[in-house]
Amino acid sequence: MGPFLSKLGTGISVIKREVENNLHDINRLFEQDKEKYHTLQAMVLYDIESGRIMKHHTCSRSLRWLRRMYEFISIFLEKIAMGEKDLTKDARVAYDSTISMFHNYFIRKAISTGLHLLPTYETFLISMSVDKEDAKNPVFEQVFKEDVLHYISTLKPICNIIKQFYTDHGLEN
């Protein structure tokens, strides 16, 4: 996810940093005891059983934030795949509908400012190509959008499974 977020430039660096930190926390815990933490669900259940639920640097908290970030990315990419070309507007809609309500005033302002630094659609599309010349091919944009929709179709069910698990365990708030 980091390489993709990097293509959006510094405008989204706060979100990129959150994703990287949460992934780091989950990986660190997994590496501590691969047998005990053999699944994400096992990691969250351990947090529940040990009374560490939603504390900093726990899987339960990190995974909830990652899911929110992936929901943001999903909505953002879906807007692009459906033909929207104003990345700042697309990211704003995605941010407001997924994670802004969980951020404090200062983080919301930093992200709001950062969203105005997102690249143009054309620059973003070029950055997503392996070779800059590929982006000039009229078929590239359509194939890119199809790939994005495929990616979203695999990401959304994962987010839904995590959200349902959290709801079932009274952790979704």
Side-chain angles (χ1 to χ4, degrees), residues 31-71:
E31 291 298 326
Q32 284 177 3
D33 191 339
K34 292 178 182 180
E35 208 169 294
K36 183 191 327 183
Y37 299 132
H38 61 285
T39 66
L40 291 170
Q41 290 91 338
M43 294 171 90
V44 173
L45 290 173
Y46 176 77
D47 285 354
I48 293 169
E49 293 163 6
S50 66
R52 300 173 25 172
I53 199 70
M54 299 303 168
K55 294 194 175 179
H56 285 289
H57 308 294
T58 60
C59 181
S60 54
R61 183 180 176 116
S62 295
L63 183 59
R64 184 174 65 179
W65 274 108
L66 275 175
R67 191 208 75 235
R68 290 172 179 165
M69 300 297 169
Y70 289 150
E71 288 171 342

Side-chain angles (χ1 to χ4, degrees), residues 139-158:
V139 177
F140 178 79
E141 183 176 12
Q142 185 58 39
V143 171
F144 171 73
K145 289 178 179 181
E146 289 169 9
D147 288 348
V148 164
L149 289 173
H150 176 73
Y151 175 74
I152 293 168
S153 75
T154 60
L155 186 59
K156 279 186 177 182
I158 294 167

Side-chain angles (χ1 to χ4, degrees), residues 41 44-45 48 53 163-172:
Q41 290 91 338
V44 173
L45 290 173
I48 293 169
I53 199 70
K163 188 171 192 168
Q164 187 61 53
F165 181 81
Y166 273 58
T167 299
D168 291 348
H169 290 84
L171 306 175
E172 192 57 37

Side-chain angles (χ1 to χ4, degrees), residues 91-151:
R92 166 60 55 203
V93 168
Y95 177 71
D96 286 346
S97 66
T98 56
I99 52 181
S100 71
M101 66 285 286
F102 304 108
H103 283 150
N104 67 39
Y105 172 82
F106 298 106
I107 292 177
R108 283 194 312 269
K109 287 300 175 191
I111 289 174
S112 181
T113 301
L115 295 180
H116 292 287
L117 301 173
L118 291 175
T120 64
Y121 176 79
E122 292 74 20
T123 302
F124 172 68
L125 202 57
I126 290 169
S127 75
M128 294 304 293
S129 63
V130 175
D131 180 343
K132 291 182 188 208
E133 292 301 311
D134 291 342
K136 294 177 183 174
N137 184 326
V139 177
F140 178 79
E141 183 176 12
Q142 185 58 39
V143 171
F144 171 73
K145 289 178 179 181
E146 289 169 9
D147 288 348
V148 164
L149 289 173
H150 176 73
Y151 175 74

